[in-house]
Amino acid sequence: MKYLLYFFFISAVVTGVQAQNKKGQNERPKLIVGIVVDQMRYDYLTRFYDKYGEGGFKRMINEGFNCKNNHFNYIPTYTGPGHASIYTGTTPKYHGIIGNDWYDKDLKSSVNCVQDDEVAPVGTESNDGKKSPKRMLVTTFADENRLFTQMKGKTIGISIKHRSAILPAGHTANAAYWFDYEHNGEGHWISSSYYMNELPKWVDKFNKSNKAESYFKVWNTLYDIDSYTESGNDLNSFERVFKGKKTPTFPYNLKKLRNENGNFKIITDSPFGNNLTTDFTIKAIEAEELGRDHITDILTVSYSSTDKVGHDFGVNSKEIEDVYIRLDQDLERLLNALDARVGKGKYTVFLTADHGAVHIPNYLKSLKIPSDYVISKRIREKLNAFILETFQVTGLVENMSNNQIFLNHKKIKESGLVLSVVQESIVNEIIGYQDIYKAYTAGSMSSNSFPHGIENLLQNGYNQKRSGDVLMVSHPSHIYYRKTGTTHGAGFNYDTHVPLLFFGKGIKQGETLQKTVIPDIAPTMSALLGISFPNASTGSPLEFVLQ
């Protein structure tokens, strides 16, 4: 009898433990934090690794899962499409964000990816507050979480840039906040009437604290500049020179430079823009009580100053090394705040980038690596002369932007021309231009299947309603840009290969060299939460990162 009672006692204990384990496995994270580092190449993780502390990038790598071969699978690799693709689990072909700005064929003018003249600015009088996600055609995983939780799970989007705050948070977000720095902005965190009629008291209080103003200070290297051996010489001819300075070299006195460099814009052009983003994000976690109950909340954070510093100074600069060393400390500060306010093991974080960047072409040329600058005026002049000679018509080219040519369909029809013939003729003409590496018609994107290569990336980025009639690809390391600093947008590895780190609740510890693509992130987060995938998702859940 004693042994029988002991057997029942042990069985009850085992059953209870199993039930508890099962409950723990089914328990959702209290908070999902999506971190996007604007313009972060994958090799910034490895190149600056020894300069990082233990609590930021290294903590995520060592305690989480590192997807080392993560890529964008479409062109163009810009900020708007990048943020939309990360959170919708698909590409511009479906979500419709084909650029930061693009030529609208119906309006006959350029539109911004988050422009919305039907909403009012909140927290500012500037038109930079007239923004919403309405041009994004599909849902994000944050939207699906809101639907799943009967709109009880909160979603907050935060970034210096409006598009980086708005697109990740989706259509149903409680709020998106961005920094009023453009057009001589007031240096406040703002929003639009799409989300609210007035700023919450905590945002208003933060703005009145003059925290942003406190970052008008001297930017010098965090450590001795001589220890920055992972980057090139500080004094060189490849980098942007701020107005008021004679050379692109440390130190930068932002207080002295502010009036000639856009006032608060100079803060966003320094690592202090990332500091300010972290300050505001931690305040949002506290004030909005994110992750404080059993209903999962979503917080999207994009660090934009890495992109601005990258554009100004390039991949090989002392400035870019310093901004990442300082960002590592911001990540540690954010993770520590999440530990304290949400609890270790109760939240999940992923970190990735919206695109990479190419080395400054003039720097590459100095090393005898093929690279150069594309001259759009030269392309346009030669093309217009060809069209006039071939078709005896002017004005067939309506717009050239984002490596696309938009034709005037009405004029083509009125002139008795066949659209497909004009498209094909243009492709056959421009493929001979020195600035053009590859060219394709819209018809070829719609009617053919390209499973590999640049053609596949173009097809994934081609939206039948919004994209142009002819798609162009520049040569590797050839860019449309000024002669100092750098940019992005191509389908080559320097623009497509970006980090992907998963960390926290429900995530295994490990790493892989198996190729992953950006649209895999949203369905992975959806699978972790047990919710519907975003409605147009084309990615696959990364089962190997989930416990």
Side-chain angles (χ1 to χ4, degrees), residues 24 35 45 208 242 267 289 363 374 392 417 496 509 522 529 534:
I35 300 174
L45 272 185
K208 290 178 180 177
F242 286 131
I267 290 176
E289 298 187 332
Y363 169 68
V374 179
Q392 288 79 52
L417 300 173
T496 67
Q509 192 283 324
L529 296 177

Side-chain angles (χ1 to χ4, degrees), residues 187-228:
H188 293 161
W189 290 91
I190 63 173
S191 191
S192 82
S193 62
Y194 181 88
Y195 305 99
M196 63 194 74
N197 293 321
E198 60 182 11
L199 294 176
K201 290 182 180 179
W202 71 266
V203 177
D204 190 51
K205 184 178 179 181
F206 187 96
N207 286 336
K208 290 178 180 177
S209 73
N210 289 322
K211 188 66 177 178
E213 189 79 24
S214 72
Y215 286 114
F216 284 115
K217 57 184 181 179
V218 175
W219 173 23
N220 211 337
T221 53
L222 186 64
Y223 305 129
D224 186 339
I225 194 168
D226 291 336
S227 71
Y228 284 28

Side-chain angles (χ1 to χ4, degrees), residues 496-509:
T496 67
H497 190 194
V498 298
L500 178 55
L501 305 176
F502 293 96
F503 168 85
K505 185 171 181 59
I507 303 299
K508 291 179 181 176
Q509 192 283 324

Side-chain angles (χ1 to χ4, degrees), residues 45-195:
L45 272 185
T46 54
R47 199 169 119 210
F48 306 138
Y49 187 84
D50 290 341
K51 293 291 193 298
Y52 295 146
E54 297 300 319
F57 287 117
K58 284 184 179 178
R59 181 181 175 189
M60 293 191 70
I61 291 170
N62 294 332
E63 298 180 25
F65 202 98
N66 184 3
C67 297
K68 295 178 162 184
N69 190 21
N70 182 60
H71 288 262
F72 280 88
N73 63 337
Y74 64 84
I75 300 172
T77 44
Y78 295 139
T79 297
H83 283 78
S85 299
I86 290 164
Y87 287 87
T88 64
T90 191
T91 68
K93 180 177 182 179
Y94 298 106
H95 62 58
I97 304 298
I98 63 170
N100 294 333
D101 304 273
W102 65 82
Y103 181 72
D104 188 298
K105 295 184 237 184
D106 296 321
L107 297 176
K108 305 298 181 185
S109 65
S110 179
V111 296
N112 180 267
C113 62
V114 289
Q115 178 181 331
D116 188 350
D117 294 332
E118 295 179 359
V119 302
V122 173
T124 180
E125 295 182 359
S126 169
N127 285 338
D128 290 322
K130 291 186 173 183
K131 309 294 180 185
S132 85
K134 76 171 186 178
R135 296 186 191 277
M136 186 167 64
L137 305 174
V138 303
T139 64
T140 66
F141 80 81
D143 287 323
E144 297 300 334
N145 184 66
R146 291 275 284 161
L147 292 170
F148 183 86
T149 62
Q150 300 301 308
M151 309 300 282
K152 295 175 184 176
K154 283 186 177 180
T155 299
I156 306 288
I158 295 171
S159 178
I160 291 285
K161 294 181 181 179
H162 43 58
R163 57 187 174 271
S164 308
I166 291 169
L167 296 173
H171 300 276
T172 60
N174 299 81
Y177 301 106
W178 54 98
F179 191 57
D180 183 21
Y181 70 94
E182 294 187 292
H183 310 114
N184 202 34
E186 297 179 350
H188 293 161
W189 290 91
I190 63 173
S191 191
S192 82
S193 62
Y194 181 88
Y195 305 99

